[in-house]
PDB file of all heavy atoms in Angstrom:
ATOM      1  N   PHE N  91     -34.950  89.654 -31.123  1.00 96.00           N
ATOM      2  CA  PHE N  91     -35.051  88.129 -31.089  1.00 96.00           C
ATOM      3  C   PHE N  91     -35.320  87.708 -29.809  1.00 96.00           C
ATOM      4  O   PHE N  91     -36.225  86.705 -29.582  1.00 96.00           O
ATOM      5  CB  PHE N  91     -33.643  87.752 -31.750  1.00 96.00           C
ATOM      6  CG  PHE N  91     -33.383  86.199 -31.586  1.00 96.00           C
ATOM      7  CD1 PHE N  91     -34.407  85.322 -31.519  1.00 96.00           C
ATOM      8  CD2 PHE N  91     -32.229  85.748 -31.653  1.00 96.00           C
ATOM      9  CE1 PHE N  91     -34.173  83.912 -31.462  1.00 96.00           C
ATOM     10  CE2 PHE N  91     -31.799  84.359 -31.670  1.00 96.00           C
ATOM     11  CZ  PHE N  91     -32.907  83.473 -31.550  1.00 96.00           C
ATOM     12  N   GLY N  93     -33.717  85.590 -27.801  1.00 95.00           N
ATOM     13  CA  GLY N  93     -33.431  84.202 -27.629  1.00 95.00           C
ATOM     14  C   GLY N  93     -34.670  83.363 -27.539  1.00 95.00           C
ATOM     15  O   GLY N  93     -34.809  82.555 -26.592  1.00 95.00           O
ATOM     16  N   PHE N  94     -35.539  83.528 -28.582  1.00 94.00           N
ATOM     17  CA  PHE N  94     -36.762  82.797 -28.637  1.00 94.00           C
ATOM     18  C   PHE N  94     -37.632  82.935 -27.360  1.00 94.00           C
ATOM     19  O   PHE N  94     -38.311  82.021 -26.798  1.00 94.00           O
ATOM     20  CB  PHE N  94     -36.577  81.328 -28.949  1.00 94.00           C
ATOM     21  CG  PHE N  94     -36.029  81.040 -30.360  1.00 94.00           C
ATOM     22  CD1 PHE N  94     -34.940  80.420 -30.539  1.00 94.00           C
ATOM     23  CD2 PHE N  94     -36.697  81.408 -31.397  1.00 94.00           C
ATOM     24  CE1 PHE N  94     -34.464  80.121 -31.832  1.00 94.00           C
ATOM     25  CE2 PHE N  94     -36.221  81.198 -32.726  1.00 94.00           C
ATOM     26  CZ  PHE N  94     -35.005  80.525 -32.870  1.00 94.00           C
ATOM     27  N   GLY N  95     -37.570  84.083 -26.660  1.00 96.00           N
ATOM     28  CA  GLY N  95     -38.443  84.466 -25.557  1.00 96.00           C
ATOM     29  C   GLY N  95     -37.667  84.136 -24.260  1.00 96.00           C
ATOM     30  O   GLY N  95     -38.357  84.041 -23.180  1.00 96.00           O
ATOM     31  N   SER N  96     -36.407  83.967 -24.372  1.00 97.00           N
ATOM     32  CA  SER N  96     -35.636  83.671 -23.056  1.00 97.00           C
ATOM     33  C   SER N  96     -35.192  84.826 -22.357  1.00 97.00           C
ATOM     34  O   SER N  96     -34.546  84.576 -21.248  1.00 97.00           O
ATOM     35  CB  SER N  96     -34.414  82.759 -23.447  1.00 97.00           C
ATOM     36  OG  SER N  96     -34.892  81.530 -24.041  1.00 97.00           O
ATOM     37  N   GLY N 154     -37.133  73.600 -21.520  1.00 97.00           N
ATOM     38  CA  GLY N 154     -38.497  73.388 -21.963  1.00 97.00           C
ATOM     39  C   GLY N 154     -38.763  72.157 -22.306  1.00 97.00           C
ATOM     40  O   GLY N 154     -39.817  71.439 -22.161  1.00 97.00           O
ATOM     41  N   MET N 158     -41.625  69.808 -20.617  1.00 98.00           N
ATOM     42  CA  MET N 158     -42.672  69.135 -21.386  1.00 98.00           C
ATOM     43  C   MET N 158     -42.716  67.478 -21.256  1.00 98.00           C
ATOM     44  O   MET N 158     -43.759  66.945 -21.230  1.00 98.00           O
ATOM     45  CB  MET N 158     -42.644  69.537 -22.872  1.00 98.00           C
ATOM     46  CG  MET N 158     -43.195  70.992 -23.166  1.00 98.00           C
ATOM     47  SD  MET N 158     -44.869  71.168 -22.618  1.00 98.00           S
ATOM     48  CE  MET N 158     -45.806  69.927 -23.679  1.00 98.00           C
ATOM     49  N   PHE N 183     -44.752  72.460 -31.769  1.00 96.00           N
ATOM     50  CA  PHE N 183     -43.319  72.307 -31.475  1.00 96.00           C
ATOM     51  C   PHE N 183     -43.352  72.251 -29.905  1.00 96.00           C
ATOM     52  O   PHE N 183     -43.680  73.186 -29.215  1.00 96.00           O
ATOM     53  CB  PHE N 183     -42.397  73.449 -31.884  1.00 96.00           C
ATOM     54  CG  PHE N 183     -40.967  73.297 -31.505  1.00 96.00           C
ATOM     55  CD1 PHE N 183     -40.095  72.547 -32.350  1.00 96.00           C
ATOM     56  CD2 PHE N 183     -40.454  73.726 -30.237  1.00 96.00           C
ATOM     57  CE1 PHE N 183     -38.825  72.299 -32.026  1.00 96.00           C
ATOM     58  CE2 PHE N 183     -39.185  73.580 -30.073  1.00 96.00           C
ATOM     59  CZ  PHE N 183     -38.307  72.870 -30.833  1.00 96.00           C
ATOM     60  N   GLU N 236     -49.820  73.873 -27.732  1.00 98.00           N
ATOM     61  CA  GLU N 236     -49.212  75.402 -27.435  1.00 98.00           C
ATOM     62  C   GLU N 236     -50.368  76.374 -27.291  1.00 98.00           C
ATOM     63  O   GLU N 236     -51.183  76.217 -28.290  1.00 98.00           O
ATOM     64  CB  GLU N 236     -48.229  75.797 -28.503  1.00 98.00           C
ATOM     65  CG  GLU N 236     -46.955  74.835 -28.637  1.00 98.00           C
ATOM     66  CD  GLU N 236     -46.286  75.164 -30.066  1.00 98.00           C
ATOM     67  OE1 GLU N 236     -46.717  74.488 -30.987  1.00 98.00           O
ATOM     68  OE2 GLU N 236     -45.390  76.063 -30.138  1.00 98.00           O
ATOM     69  N   THR N 237     -50.380  77.225 -26.377  1.00 98.00           N
ATOM     70  CA  THR N 237     -51.494  78.204 -26.385  1.00 98.00           C
ATOM     71  C   THR N 237     -51.285  79.151 -27.474  1.00 98.00           C
ATOM     72  O   THR N 237     -52.372  79.635 -28.202  1.00 98.00           O
ATOM     73  CB  THR N 237     -51.560  78.897 -25.100  1.00 98.00           C
ATOM     74  OG1 THR N 237     -51.306  77.917 -23.954  1.00 98.00           O
ATOM     75  CG2 THR N 237     -52.728  79.689 -24.939  1.00 98.00           C
ATOM     76  N   ILE N 238     -50.095  79.568 -27.855  1.00 98.00           N
ATOM     77  CA  ILE N 238     -49.732  80.280 -29.095  1.00 98.00           C
ATOM     78  C   ILE N 238     -48.580  79.452 -29.710  1.00 98.00           C
ATOM     79  O   ILE N 238     -47.540  79.267 -29.124  1.00 98.00           O
ATOM     80  CB  ILE N 238     -49.276  81.674 -28.798  1.00 98.00           C
ATOM     81  CG1 ILE N 238     -50.357  82.469 -28.152  1.00 98.00           C
ATOM     82  CG2 ILE N 238     -48.989  82.425 -30.086  1.00 98.00           C
ATOM     83  CD1 ILE N 238     -49.932  83.948 -27.707  1.00 98.00           C
ATOM     84  N   GLN N 239     -48.825  79.099 -31.044  1.00 98.00           N
ATOM     85  CA  GLN N 239     -47.748  78.312 -31.691  1.00 98.00           C
ATOM     86  C   GLN N 239     -46.716  79.244 -32.136  1.00 98.00           C
ATOM     87  O   GLN N 239     -46.904  80.116 -32.832  1.00 98.00           O
ATOM     88  CB  GLN N 239     -48.409  77.596 -32.854  1.00 98.00           C
ATOM     89  CG  GLN N 239     -49.417  76.429 -32.560  1.00 98.00           C
ATOM     90  CD  GLN N 239     -49.639  75.569 -33.828  1.00 98.00           C
ATOM     91  OE1 GLN N 239     -49.747  76.045 -34.994  1.00 98.00           O
ATOM     92  NE2 GLN N 239     -49.762  74.210 -33.650  1.00 98.00           N
ATOM     93  N   GLY N 240     -45.491  78.888 -31.586  1.00 96.00           N
ATOM     94  CA  GLY N 240     -44.302  79.769 -31.962  1.00 96.00           C
ATOM     95  C   GLY N 240     -43.752  79.148 -33.216  1.00 96.00           C
ATOM     96  O   GLY N 240     -43.661  79.916 -34.305  1.00 96.00           O
ATOM     97  N   GLY N 241     -43.233  78.077 -33.257  1.00 94.00           N
ATOM     98  CA  GLY N 241     -42.678  77.542 -34.525  1.00 94.00           C
ATOM     99  C   GLY N 241     -43.553  77.470 -35.742  1.00 94.00           C
ATOM    100  O   GLY N 241     -43.149  77.473 -36.925  1.00 94.00           O
ATOM    101  N   GLY N 242     -44.915  77.358 -35.443  1.00 94.00           N
ATOM    102  CA  GLY N 242     -45.883  77.360 -36.555  1.00 94.00           C
ATOM    103  C   GLY N 242     -46.065  78.806 -37.175  1.00 94.00           C
ATOM    104  O   GLY N 242     -46.737  78.915 -38.187  1.00 94.00           O
ATOM    105  N   ILE N 244     -46.469  81.915 -34.998  1.00 97.00           N
ATOM    106  CA  ILE N 244     -47.241  82.866 -34.111  1.00 97.00           C
ATOM    107  C   ILE N 244     -48.761  82.714 -34.501  1.00 97.00           C
ATOM    108  O   ILE N 244     -49.388  83.600 -34.919  1.00 97.00           O
ATOM    109  CB  ILE N 244     -46.736  84.251 -34.048  1.00 97.00           C
ATOM    110  CG1 ILE N 244     -45.188  84.367 -34.115  1.00 97.00           C
ATOM    111  CG2 ILE N 244     -47.332  84.985 -32.984  1.00 97.00           C
ATOM    112  CD1 ILE N 244     -44.633  83.764 -32.977  1.00 97.00           C
ATOM    113  N   ASP N 269     -48.754  73.889 -23.332  1.00 98.00           N
ATOM    114  CA  ASP N 269     -47.338  74.274 -23.411  1.00 98.00           C
ATOM    115  C   ASP N 269     -47.289  75.669 -23.497  1.00 98.00           C
ATOM    116  O   ASP N 269     -47.530  76.360 -24.473  1.00 98.00           O
ATOM    117  CB  ASP N 269     -46.855  73.543 -24.764  1.00 98.00           C
ATOM    118  CG  ASP N 269     -45.341  73.859 -24.904  1.00 98.00           C
ATOM    119  OD1 ASP N 269     -44.764  74.649 -24.314  1.00 98.00           O
ATOM    120  OD2 ASP N 269     -44.795  73.050 -25.774  1.00 98.00           O
ATOM    121  N   GLU N 270     -46.714  76.322 -22.475  1.00 98.00           N
ATOM    122  CA  GLU N 270     -46.452  77.742 -22.309  1.00 98.00           C
ATOM    123  C   GLU N 270     -45.032  78.016 -22.202  1.00 98.00           C
ATOM    124  O   GLU N 270     -44.632  79.212 -21.772  1.00 98.00           O
ATOM    125  CB  GLU N 270     -47.230  78.266 -21.042  1.00 98.00           C
ATOM    126  CG  GLU N 270     -48.742  78.211 -21.151  1.00 98.00           C
ATOM    127  CD  GLU N 270     -49.370  79.542 -21.537  1.00 98.00           C
ATOM    128  OE1 GLU N 270     -48.731  80.584 -21.323  1.00 98.00           O
ATOM    129  OE2 GLU N 270     -50.548  79.446 -21.953  1.00 98.00           O
ATOM    130  N   VAL N 271     -44.225  77.088 -22.743  1.00 98.00           N
ATOM    131  CA  VAL N 271     -42.678  77.276 -22.584  1.00 98.00           C
ATOM    132  C   VAL N 271     -42.266  78.690 -23.327  1.00 98.00           C
ATOM    133  O   VAL N 271     -41.437  79.309 -22.711  1.00 98.00           O
ATOM    134  CB  VAL N 271     -41.982  76.049 -23.271  1.00 98.00           C
ATOM    135  CG1 VAL N 271     -40.530  76.402 -23.602  1.00 98.00           C
ATOM    136  CG2 VAL N 271     -42.204  74.888 -22.259  1.00 98.00           C
ATOM    137  N   GLN N 272     -42.770  78.939 -24.524  1.00 97.00           N
ATOM    138  CA  GLN N 272     -42.353  80.114 -25.249  1.00 97.00           C
ATOM    139  C   GLN N 272     -43.380  81.414 -24.916  1.00 97.00           C
ATOM    140  O   GLN N 272     -42.996  82.460 -24.806  1.00 97.00           O
ATOM    141  CB  GLN N 272     -42.355  79.898 -26.605  1.00 97.00           C
ATOM    142  CG  GLN N 272     -41.730  81.026 -27.394  1.00 97.00           C
ATOM    143  CD  GLN N 272     -41.416  80.560 -28.906  1.00 97.00           C
ATOM    144  OE1 GLN N 272     -41.331  81.417 -29.861  1.00 97.00           O
ATOM    145  NE2 GLN N 272     -41.104  79.413 -29.047  1.00 97.00           N
ATOM    146  N   CYS N 273     -44.658  80.998 -24.868  1.00 98.00           N
ATOM    147  CA  CYS N 273     -45.720  82.111 -24.847  1.00 98.00           C
ATOM    148  C   CYS N 273     -46.001  82.479 -23.332  1.00 98.00           C
ATOM    149  O   CYS N 273     -46.680  83.647 -23.141  1.00 98.00           O
ATOM    150  CB  CYS N 273     -47.034  81.699 -25.540  1.00 98.00           C
ATOM    151  SG  CYS N 273     -47.745  80.323 -24.848  1.00 98.00           S
ATOM    152  N   GLY N 274     -45.599  81.652 -22.470  1.00 98.00           N
ATOM    153  CA  GLY N 274     -45.903  81.923 -21.049  1.00 98.00           C
ATOM    154  C   GLY N 274     -44.939  83.033 -20.379  1.00 98.00           C
ATOM    155  O   GLY N 274     -44.074  83.687 -21.178  1.00 98.00           O
ATOM    156  N   TYR N 275     -44.956  83.199 -19.031  1.00 98.00           N
ATOM    157  CA  TYR N 275     -44.165  84.152 -18.306  1.00 98.00           C
ATOM    158  C   TYR N 275     -44.269  85.578 -18.714  1.00 98.00           C
ATOM    159  O   TYR N 275     -43.327  86.306 -18.847  1.00 98.00           O
ATOM    160  CB  TYR N 275     -42.547  83.496 -18.436  1.00 98.00           C
ATOM    161  CG  TYR N 275     -41.781  84.009 -17.269  1.00 98.00           C
ATOM    162  CD1 TYR N 275     -41.772  83.349 -15.967  1.00 98.00           C
ATOM    163  CD2 TYR N 275     -40.936  85.166 -17.420  1.00 98.00           C
ATOM    164  CE1 TYR N 275     -40.939  83.742 -14.946  1.00 98.00           C
ATOM    165  CE2 TYR N 275     -40.093  85.622 -16.444  1.00 98.00           C
ATOM    166  CZ  TYR N 275     -40.137  84.932 -15.226  1.00 98.00           C
ATOM    167  OH  TYR N 275     -39.355  85.385 -14.134  1.00 98.00           O
ATOM    168  N   GLY N 276     -45.479  85.985 -18.975  1.00 98.00           N
ATOM    169  CA  GLY N 276     -45.738  87.326 -19.205  1.00 98.00           C
ATOM    170  C   GLY N 276     -45.728  87.848 -20.639  1.00 98.00           C
ATOM    171  O   GLY N 276     -45.941  88.949 -20.977  1.00 98.00           O
ATOM    172  N   ARG N 277     -45.156  86.927 -21.473  1.00 98.00           N
ATOM    173  CA  ARG N 277     -44.913  87.378 -22.861  1.00 98.00           C
ATOM    174  C   ARG N 277     -46.072  87.852 -23.471  1.00 98.00           C
ATOM    175  O   ARG N 277     -45.969  88.800 -24.399  1.00 98.00           O
ATOM    176  CB  ARG N 277     -44.201  86.272 -23.627  1.00 98.00           C
ATOM    177  CG  ARG N 277     -43.793  86.625 -25.069  1.00 98.00           C
ATOM    178  CD  ARG N 277     -42.612  85.939 -25.494  1.00 98.00           C
ATOM    179  NE  ARG N 277     -41.420  86.286 -24.753  1.00 98.00           N
ATOM    180  CZ  ARG N 277     -40.692  87.502 -24.939  1.00 98.00           C
ATOM    181  NH1 ARG N 277     -41.033  88.315 -25.915  1.00 98.00           N
ATOM    182  NH2 ARG N 277     -39.621  87.819 -24.255  1.00 98.00           N
ATOM    183  N   SER N 278     -47.143  87.280 -23.382  1.00 98.00           N
ATOM    184  CA  SER N 278     -48.513  87.694 -24.105  1.00 98.00           C
ATOM    185  C   SER N 278     -49.254  88.689 -23.337  1.00 98.00           C
ATOM    186  O   SER N 278     -50.308  89.256 -23.971  1.00 98.00           O
ATOM    187  CB  SER N 278     -49.423  86.340 -24.073  1.00 98.00           C
ATOM    188  OG  SER N 278     -49.882  86.137 -22.855  1.00 98.00           O
ATOM    189  N   PHE N 281     -49.610  86.354 -17.289  1.00 98.00           N
ATOM    190  CA  PHE N 281     -48.537  85.456 -16.893  1.00 98.00           C
ATOM    191  C   PHE N 281     -48.511  84.254 -17.821  1.00 98.00           C
ATOM    192  O   PHE N 281     -47.502  83.694 -18.309  1.00 98.00           O
ATOM    193  CB  PHE N 281     -48.606  85.019 -15.337  1.00 98.00           C
ATOM    194  CG  PHE N 281     -47.468  84.349 -14.931  1.00 98.00           C
ATOM    195  CD1 PHE N 281     -46.330  84.874 -14.433  1.00 98.00           C
ATOM    196  CD2 PHE N 281     -47.514  82.875 -14.839  1.00 98.00           C
ATOM    197  CE1 PHE N 281     -45.168  84.260 -14.091  1.00 98.00           C
ATOM    198  CE2 PHE N 281     -46.345  82.114 -14.477  1.00 98.00           C
ATOM    199  CZ  PHE N 281     -45.109  82.884 -14.010  1.00 98.00           C
ATOM    200  N   ALA N 283     -50.521  82.573 -21.277  1.00 98.00           N
ATOM    201  CA  ALA N 283     -51.367  83.001 -22.381  1.00 98.00           C
ATOM    202  C   ALA N 283     -52.799  82.594 -22.247  1.00 98.00           C
ATOM    203  O   ALA N 283     -53.677  83.192 -22.692  1.00 98.00           O
ATOM    204  CB  ALA N 283     -50.674  82.610 -23.643  1.00 98.00           C
ATOM    205  N   ALA N 295     -46.537  74.071 -18.616  1.00 98.00           N
ATOM    206  CA  ALA N 295     -45.054  73.988 -18.522  1.00 98.00           C
ATOM    207  C   ALA N 295     -44.501  75.336 -18.871  1.00 98.00           C
ATOM    208  O   ALA N 295     -45.048  76.144 -19.770  1.00 98.00           O
ATOM    209  CB  ALA N 295     -44.417  72.918 -19.517  1.00 98.00           C
ATOM    210  N   LEU N 296     -43.469  75.776 -18.103  1.00 98.00           N
ATOM    211  CA  LEU N 296     -42.677  76.984 -18.425  1.00 98.00           C
ATOM    212  C   LEU N 296     -41.156  76.676 -18.523  1.00 98.00           C
ATOM    213  O   LEU N 296     -40.705  75.744 -18.059  1.00 98.00           O
ATOM    214  CB  LEU N 296     -42.854  77.971 -17.236  1.00 98.00           C
ATOM    215  CG  LEU N 296     -44.255  78.444 -16.846  1.00 98.00           C
ATOM    216  CD1 LEU N 296     -44.063  79.234 -15.464  1.00 98.00           C
ATOM    217  CD2 LEU N 296     -44.709  79.608 -17.874  1.00 98.00           C
ATOM    218  N   ALA N 297     -40.595  77.583 -19.291  1.00 98.00           N
ATOM    219  CA  ALA N 297     -39.057  77.553 -19.313  1.00 98.00           C
ATOM    220  C   ALA N 297     -38.624  78.875 -19.728  1.00 98.00           C
ATOM    221  O   ALA N 297     -39.074  79.900 -19.328  1.00 98.00           O
ATOM    222  CB  ALA N 297     -38.541  76.483 -20.269  1.00 98.00           C
ATOM    223  N   LYS N 298     -37.668  78.966 -20.807  1.00 97.00           N
ATOM    224  CA  LYS N 298     -37.125  80.176 -21.432  1.00 97.00           C
ATOM    225  C   LYS N 298     -36.914  81.280 -20.360  1.00 97.00           C
ATOM    226  O   LYS N 298     -35.896  81.082 -19.720  1.00 97.00           O
ATOM    227  CB  LYS N 298     -38.322  80.677 -22.525  1.00 97.00           C
ATOM    228  CG  LYS N 298     -38.626  79.802 -23.524  1.00 97.00           C
ATOM    229  CD  LYS N 298     -37.659  79.464 -24.562  1.00 97.00           C
ATOM    230  CE  LYS N 298     -38.041  78.761 -25.670  1.00 97.00           C
ATOM    231  NZ  LYS N 298     -36.953  78.172 -26.558  1.00 97.00           N
ATOM    232  N   SER N 299     -37.754  82.251 -20.071  1.00 98.00           N
ATOM    233  CA  SER N 299     -37.440  83.306 -19.281  1.00 98.00           C
ATOM    234  C   SER N 299     -37.509  83.039 -17.867  1.00 98.00           C
ATOM    235  O   SER N 299     -37.184  83.889 -17.063  1.00 98.00           O
ATOM    236  CB  SER N 299     -38.267  84.550 -19.636  1.00 98.00           C
ATOM    237  OG  SER N 299     -37.819  85.222 -20.819  1.00 98.00           O
ATOM    238  N   PHE N 391     -45.587  90.727 -26.520  1.00 98.00           N
ATOM    239  CA  PHE N 391     -44.333  90.713 -27.196  1.00 98.00           C
ATOM    240  C   PHE N 391     -44.072  89.309 -27.885  1.00 98.00           C
ATOM    241  O   PHE N 391     -42.944  88.832 -27.901  1.00 98.00           O
ATOM    242  CB  PHE N 391     -43.138  91.076 -26.216  1.00 98.00           C
ATOM    243  CG  PHE N 391     -43.087  92.430 -25.983  1.00 98.00           C
ATOM    244  CD1 PHE N 391     -42.812  92.925 -24.809  1.00 98.00           C
ATOM    245  CD2 PHE N 391     -43.180  93.387 -26.969  1.00 98.00           C
ATOM    246  CE1 PHE N 391     -42.693  94.435 -24.448  1.00 98.00           C
ATOM    247  CE2 PHE N 391     -43.165  94.822 -26.728  1.00 98.00           C
ATOM    248  CZ  PHE N 391     -42.728  95.269 -25.478  1.00 98.00           C
ATOM    249  N   MET N 392     -45.016  88.676 -28.470  1.00 98.00           N
ATOM    250  CA  MET N 392     -44.878  87.530 -29.140  1.00 98.00           C
ATOM    251  C   MET N 392     -45.590  87.781 -30.552  1.00 98.00           C
ATOM    252  O   MET N 392     -46.852  87.638 -30.674  1.00 98.00           O
ATOM    253  CB  MET N 392     -45.456  86.259 -28.481  1.00 98.00           C
ATOM    254  CG  MET N 392     -45.185  84.905 -29.231  1.00 98.00           C
ATOM    255  SD  MET N 392     -45.498  83.578 -28.185  1.00 98.00           S
ATOM    256  CE  MET N 392     -45.029  82.230 -29.157  1.00 98.00           C
ATOM    257  N   VAL N 393     -44.886  88.349 -31.596  1.00 98.00           N
ATOM    258  CA  VAL N 393     -45.392  88.816 -32.799  1.00 98.00           C
ATOM    259  C   VAL N 393     -44.886  88.130 -33.990  1.00 98.00           C
ATOM    260  O   VAL N 393     -43.645  87.811 -34.024  1.00 98.00           O
ATOM    261  CB  VAL N 393     -45.127  90.250 -32.769  1.00 98.00           C
ATOM    262  CG1 VAL N 393     -45.644  90.887 -34.160  1.00 98.00           C
ATOM    263  CG2 VAL N 393     -45.892  91.041 -31.699  1.00 98.00           C
ATOM    264  N   ALA N 440     -35.756  87.164 -35.529  1.00 94.00           N
ATOM    265  CA  ALA N 440     -35.784  85.763 -35.454  1.00 94.00           C
ATOM    266  C   ALA N 440     -36.710  85.188 -36.598  1.00 94.00           C
ATOM    267  O   ALA N 440     -37.494  86.074 -37.294  1.00 94.00           O
ATOM    268  CB  ALA N 440     -36.163  85.180 -34.165  1.00 94.00           C
ATOM    269  N   PHE N 441     -36.705  83.873 -36.896  1.00 91.00           N
ATOM    270  CA  PHE N 441     -37.552  83.230 -37.846  1.00 91.00           C
ATOM    271  C   PHE N 441     -38.394  82.163 -37.258  1.00 91.00           C
ATOM    272  O   PHE N 441     -38.260  81.901 -36.064  1.00 91.00           O
ATOM    273  CB  PHE N 441     -36.679  82.675 -38.907  1.00 91.00           C
ATOM    274  CG  PHE N 441     -35.665  83.812 -39.336  1.00 91.00           C
ATOM    275  CD1 PHE N 441     -34.347  83.859 -38.960  1.00 91.00           C
ATOM    276  CD2 PHE N 441     -36.008  84.810 -40.389  1.00 91.00           C
ATOM    277  CE1 PHE N 441     -33.443  84.795 -39.294  1.00 91.00           C
ATOM    278  CE2 PHE N 441     -35.105  85.852 -40.733  1.00 91.00           C
ATOM    279  CZ  PHE N 441     -33.804  85.830 -40.359  1.00 91.00           C
ATOM    280  N   THR N 442     -39.209  81.508 -37.985  1.00 90.00           N
ATOM    281  CA  THR N 442     -39.997  80.421 -37.484  1.00 90.00           C
ATOM    282  C   THR N 442     -39.706  79.158 -38.271  1.00 90.00           C
ATOM    283  O   THR N 442     -39.329  79.133 -39.515  1.00 90.00           O
ATOM    284  CB  THR N 442     -41.502  80.690 -37.559  1.00 90.00           C
ATOM    285  OG1 THR N 442     -41.840  80.868 -38.834  1.00 90.00           O
ATOM    286  CG2 THR N 442     -41.867  81.975 -36.825  1.00 90.00           C
ATOM    287  N   GLU N 443     -39.865  78.015 -37.494  1.00 86.00           N
ATOM    288  CA  GLU N 443     -39.483  76.651 -38.164  1.00 86.00           C
ATOM    289  C   GLU N 443     -40.330  76.239 -39.344  1.00 86.00           C
ATOM    290  O   GLU N 443     -39.816  75.716 -40.229  1.00 86.00           O
ATOM    291  CB  GLU N 443     -39.672  75.658 -36.914  1.00 86.00           C
ATOM    292  CG  GLU N 443     -38.630  75.678 -35.944  1.00 86.00           C
ATOM    293  CD  GLU N 443     -38.877  76.670 -34.724  1.00 86.00           C
ATOM    294  OE1 GLU N 443     -39.879  77.454 -34.800  1.00 86.00           O
ATOM    295  OE2 GLU N 443     -38.284  76.456 -33.631  1.00 86.00           O
ATOM    296  N   ARG N 450     -40.135  86.358 -36.661  1.00 97.00           N
ATOM    297  CA  ARG N 450     -40.609  86.169 -35.253  1.00 97.00           C
ATOM    298  C   ARG N 450     -40.040  87.316 -34.502  1.00 97.00           C
ATOM    299  O   ARG N 450     -38.811  87.468 -34.490  1.00 97.00           O
ATOM    300  CB  ARG N 450     -40.313  84.890 -34.807  1.00 97.00           C
ATOM    301  CG  ARG N 450     -40.678  84.661 -33.402  1.00 97.00           C
ATOM    302  CD  ARG N 450     -40.531  83.188 -32.833  1.00 97.00           C
ATOM    303  NE  ARG N 450     -39.875  82.293 -33.651  1.00 97.00           N
ATOM    304  CZ  ARG N 450     -39.857  81.002 -33.376  1.00 97.00           C
ATOM    305  NH1 ARG N 450     -40.598  80.471 -32.243  1.00 97.00           N
ATOM    306  NH2 ARG N 450     -39.337  80.127 -34.078  1.00 97.00           N
ATOM    307  N   LEU N 451     -40.815  88.095 -33.840  1.00 98.00           N
ATOM    308  CA  LEU N 451     -40.410  89.155 -32.831  1.00 98.00           C
ATOM    309  C   LEU N 451     -40.806  88.868 -31.385  1.00 98.00           C
ATOM    310  O   LEU N 451     -41.871  88.746 -30.985  1.00 98.00           O
ATOM    311  CB  LEU N 451     -41.061  90.492 -33.334  1.00 98.00           C
ATOM    312  CG  LEU N 451     -40.929  90.878 -34.704  1.00 98.00           C
ATOM    313  CD1 LEU N 451     -41.755  92.167 -35.051  1.00 98.00           C
ATOM    314  CD2 LEU N 451     -39.414  91.108 -35.238  1.00 98.00           C
ATOM    315  N   GLU N 452     -39.693  88.660 -30.631  1.00 98.00           N
ATOM    316  CA  GLU N 452     -39.887  88.382 -29.257  1.00 98.00           C
ATOM    317  C   GLU N 452     -38.827  89.107 -28.432  1.00 98.00           C
ATOM    318  O   GLU N 452     -37.993  88.589 -27.697  1.00 98.00           O
ATOM    319  CB  GLU N 452     -39.763  86.832 -28.912  1.00 98.00           C
ATOM    320  CG  GLU N 452     -40.889  86.120 -29.591  1.00 98.00           C
ATOM    321  CD  GLU N 452     -40.772  84.590 -29.257  1.00 98.00           C
ATOM    322  OE1 GLU N 452     -39.907  84.239 -28.487  1.00 98.00           O
ATOM    323  OE2 GLU N 452     -41.637  83.802 -29.925  1.00 98.00           O
TER     324      GLU N 452
END
Side-chain angles (χ1 to χ4, degrees):
F91 171 20
F94 293 121
S96 299
M158 283 303 298
F183 182 88
E236 296 162 273
T237 314
I238 302 174
Q239 288 192 326
I244 317 299
D269 183 343
E270 293 262 339
V271 166
Q272 190 170 149
C273 61
Y275 202 79
R277 180 149 297 279
S278 73
F281 189 83
L296 294 169
K298 301 294 186 186
S299 287
F391 280 140
M392 189 169 181
V393 174
F441 311 98
T442 61
E443 285 90 343
R450 179 173 6 191
L451 306 174
E452 295 184 4

